Structures are given as C-alpha cells and as structure tokens.
Amino acid sequence: MASTNLNTFAGLSLILDRVSEQRDDVDWVTAKAGSADARYLLLDPAGDAYLHHQQEALRWLDAGERERLLPDASWSLLGIADGQPHFMLLLDERHDHAELESALDARRMGLRAAGLLLAADEAGLFAYAKGLAHWQRETRFCARCGSPLKLVSSGHRAQCTNPACGHVHFPRTDAAVIVIVEYEGACLLGRQASWPAGRYSTLAGFIEPGEALEDAVRREVAEESGVIVGDVHYHSSQPWPLPASLMVGFTATAISPAIRLRDGELEDARWFTPQQIIDGLADGSLATPTRLSVSYQLISHWLRERAGLDLDSLIERAH
C-alpha cells in the first residue's frame, strides 16, 4: 500500500509498528533483541549509517553478529516490521569504525546522501534512528537538577538518577513551517547566500512559543521577504532529524506581494511564474532543492496544480 505522503522519510507507520506499549517490558524486549530474526541498524558517533558496500541498502546486523562484533554497544528498540524486531545500535568513539566497515563489507553514509539512495522504508528507519540517537546523545543531564540521566523504556525515555528528582525526559522534536506562497500566477522563492549558485527554495522557519502553525507561516514569510500572507492551508509534513526537526508544509496566498528583505536571512527573494521556472531550469540559471526535501514537493505540487507541469520531467530534460 502506497503512502499518501510522498515526502522522503514519511509513511513509516505503514510498515513499522513502534510497539510503544512494550518498551517497558524488559523481558519481552530482551527476548526480541536476542531472537534469530532481530535486525540491528548501526549508527556511528556522527549519526551516519552503515550501508552495503556494493548495494544501495542498509547493512543490518543480526543478533549473532551483534553479539560477536559489538557486544558492548548500546541498543534501542525501533519496532516491529514484517514480523521482525528492529533495533538501533549506537556506536561510540571506542569502536574501530574502519575495522567494522571491513568486517561488514560496508560503507558509512550520512542521512542526506543516503536518503536519496535508499528504498523508502529504509530511509524512514534511518531517519527515525538518527533522530532518536541525536536526542540520546544530547540529553545527558537532568534539566531540573543537573544530575546524570539513564536511558529507560528501551531507549525512548531518560530518567533522572537523583532519587529526590526522578524527572523523566522525553525525546524532543522542533517543529518548523515551510511554505510555498503564490500571487497571481507566480510563486515566491528565496535563496541564502551559502547555497549553490542559482538554487532557490520555499521559505521556512521555526515555531515560536504560543504560536499557531498558520501564524508562524505568516510571520516567517513577512520577516524574511516582507510579503504579507493571507490564507494558509496544510499540505504535508516530513520528519527532518537533521538534527531534530519536523517540517510542516503549507500552501499560502499573498495579499501584499511587495518584497522587502527584512531579517537578513535571505540573499534574494523573487516571484517565479511557471514559465520562468521552465526557462531557468533549461538554461541552468535556476536550481531547485533536492528531492529529499519537502520544499521540492511543494514546488512540484504548485507546478502541477497551476500549470499541469511535472517537475521531475522538467529537471530530467534540463540535464
């Protein structure tokens, strides 16, 4: 069954049961961890995964390989997929990663690169594991009393070790909005100075305290471009564990299209008609975000809805 959300890393719930109700059952989880059909996804200290050397697929370990090669590595339960328990195996600086690559006939790769190569289910599992691993590495001490934390609930909670405190910390996700704004047949795209030449993207920014998602869209667009937005509509979302975000995508309509760069976030912002996008892709003066991002999907959606154009085909013809 295909996902209704085409964004990379999304749709994981269609193939994975996170079995959150079982995470505190130590006996059950331990039995699954040692079972013959257990699978382990390896992440190095930078959050890179191990892929098969000659294949565009994750190099999973079974329970026997884990016990033989990495008996001291910390593991966390991801869930059950196709009847098999899936775990994350988190490595640290004590492990010889070059030696592991040789032993496993594997190569290491970051999520941005791997997300463009892996099958959708494996890309989603990699993103899930990377987000969980980042939170575990960053959440070492209690925010209330400063005491060390210990991981509990199969790696999904961190509990304060101070008996007088005992506060439980949960994984954190930072929500951000990303939006394609249109006005009279054109869409608003901007670029940052650090991006490759010609690359333009939809506008985005993080949610502030006490702010609705729609209000965040209006504020961010106004701050970055000076454009005033009216109607805002949800499009789709994308987990973005780089390191710990959730991108919430929207479409919107401008009521005041005048561009005035206000906060220094963007080097340039402009309105693009479908024909200008076609021409820019064709002559190389315009580059879109990668297919990895929800921004690409927002631009693709807009071109399809407004002009009956397929962004993938336009890019293929340009190359």
Side-chain angles (χ1 to χ4, degrees):
M1 184 178 185
S3 171
T4 56
N5 187 339
L6 299 178
N7 297 326
T8 309
F9 312 136
L12 190 57
S13 61
L14 295 172
I15 62 104
L16 180 78
D17 182 353
R18 298 193 181 214
V19 289
S20 57
E21 74 280 4
Q22 300 284 3
R23 291 172 183 164
D24 292 310
D25 188 337
V26 175
D27 292 339
W28 185 89
V29 175
T30 301
K32 293 296 183 184
S35 64
D37 58 353
R39 306 180 80 204
Y40 289 84
L41 190 163
L42 274 67
L43 292 185
D44 73 7
D48 293 351
Y50 284 70
L51 277 68
H52 284 277
H53 189 66
Q54 299 293 341
Q55 302 175 38
E56 294 177 350
L58 293 172
R59 174 56 167 97
W60 295 88
L61 269 65
D62 60 32
E65 289 177 314
R66 175 187 68 84
E67 185 60 33
R68 176 169 54 86
L69 297 172
L70 298 161
D72 60 341
S74 172
W75 52 262
S76 300
L77 175 66
L78 297 177
I80 306 292
D82 293 327
Q84 293 181 278
H86 286 59
F87 294 83
M88 173 185 72
L89 201 61
L90 192 55
L91 310 182
D92 57 35
E93 290 76 8
R94 297 171 300 166
H95 300 103
D96 189 325
H97 303 290
E99 185 176 298
L100 266 176
E101 286 181 341
S102 177
L104 299 173
D105 190 25
R107 53 189 166 137
R108 281 177 287 164
M109 189 178 294
L111 183 61
R112 287 182 185 271
L116 295 170
L117 300 177
L118 295 173
D121 57 346
E122 291 207 328
L125 285 164
F126 183 2
Y128 171 18
K130 182 177 176 65
L132 183 62
H134 173 78
W135 170 76
Q136 289 180 355
R137 289 195 176 101
E138 294 293 311
T139 312
R140 301 291 186 89
F141 299 93
C142 181
R144 289 190 175 182
C145 72
S147 298
L149 300 172
K150 65 175 180 179
L151 291 175
V152 296
S153 195
S154 302
H156 291 261
R157 305 285 185 268
Q159 187 165 25
C160 180
T161 56
N162 177 3
C165 178
H167 183 65
V168 177
H169 298 258
F170 293 78
R172 172 175 175 170
T173 298
D174 298 320
V177 294
I178 185 164
V179 58
I180 187 159
V181 182
E182 69 172 351
Y183 183 80
E184 295 186 352
C187 69
L188 178 67
L189 303 176
R191 64 168 278 105
Q192 295 182 10
S194 61
W195 291 354
R199 175 172 290 177
Y200 280 77
S201 182
T202 53
L203 276 55
F206 285 101
I207 309 296
E208 293 192 350
E211 189 171 48
L213 294 169
E214 295 83 355
D215 290 334
V217 167
R218 298 183 181 99
R219 174 184 54 77
E220 282 291 346
V221 172
E223 287 178 355
E224 293 187 2
S225 70
V227 171
I228 306 303
V229 166
D231 289 341
V232 177
H233 299 282
Y234 174 75
H235 177 271
S236 63
S237 64
Q238 178 188 39
W240 193 252
L242 298 161
S245 298
L246 171 69
M247 304 303 296
V248 187
F250 293 90
T251 63
T253 304
I255 56 178
S256 177
I259 293 175
R260 179 172 60 89
L261 305 183
R262 288 174 47 187
D263 63 3
E265 182 77 16
L266 299 178
E267 175 189 64
D268 186 32
R270 64 179 73 168
W271 293 100
F272 289 84
T273 65
Q275 188 61 51
Q276 287 172 321
I277 292 176
I278 294 171
D279 295 342
L281 291 174
D283 65 20
S285 63
L286 174 66
T288 66
T290 69
R291 289 179 173 88
L292 193 70
S293 70
V294 67
S295 180
Y296 183 94
Q297 296 298 338
L298 289 170
I299 297 170
S300 177
H301 167 85
W302 184 79
L303 282 172
R304 186 170 58 251
E305 292 294 310
R306 294 295 173 263
L309 297 171
D310 181 75
L311 182 57
D312 289 348
S313 298
L314 293 176
I315 291 174
E316 288 172 7
R317 286 204 297 269
H319 290 85

